[in-house]
């Protein structure tokens, strides 16, 4: 995994985390919390999805192609949404 992949996955995760905070009322942690949880989840989720799908995590001929970038954005977004929602719900349950 190269730096470009990590950045793309973190951006997708941050977008997914922000969306998760807006969509699921019990999981909102505030703007910064949603971004951080989403970005962390995006890197992990994008790597996991890329490994499962194969093509989404790879690069084409030494350079990134649009399909790989799109796959990493989607994988990062889904991972960010899931992690932000889970962490937000746990945090809100613990806070009361």
């Amino acid at each position: 995994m190269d730096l470009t992949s990590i950045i793309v996955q973190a951006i997708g995760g941050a977008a997914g985390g922000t969306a998760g905070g807006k969509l699921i009322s019990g999981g909102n942690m505030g703007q910064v919390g949603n971004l951080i949880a989403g970005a962390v989840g995006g890197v992990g989720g994008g790597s996991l999805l890329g490994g499962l799908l194969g093509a989404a995590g790879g690069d084409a001929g030494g350079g990134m192609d649009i399909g790989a970038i799109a796959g990493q954005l989607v994988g990062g977004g889904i991972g960010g949404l899931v992690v932000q929602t889970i962490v937000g719900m746990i945090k809100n349950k613990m806070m009361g």
Side-chain angles (χ1 to χ4, degrees):
M1 178 182 309
D2 60 349
L3 184 59
T4 305
S5 299
I6 293 171
I7 291 171
V8 169
Q9 291 167 357
I11 290 171
T18 301
K22 292 184 187 295
L23 293 175
I24 301 169
S25 61
N28 191 5
M29 299 185 299
Q31 186 70 9
V32 175
N34 292 342
L35 282 170
I36 292 171
V40 170
V43 173
S47 299
L48 181 66
L49 186 63
L52 290 174
L53 297 179
D59 51 16
M64 296 292 292
D65 66 346
I66 193 71
I69 292 173
Q72 290 170 351
L73 275 173
V74 170
I78 292 169
L81 177 95
V82 169
V83 168
Q84 184 279 327
T85 302
I86 292 171
V87 170
M89 288 183 163
I90 291 171
K91 177 194 158 272
N92 288 339
K93 284 277 190 190
M94 293 177 85
M95 298 299 262

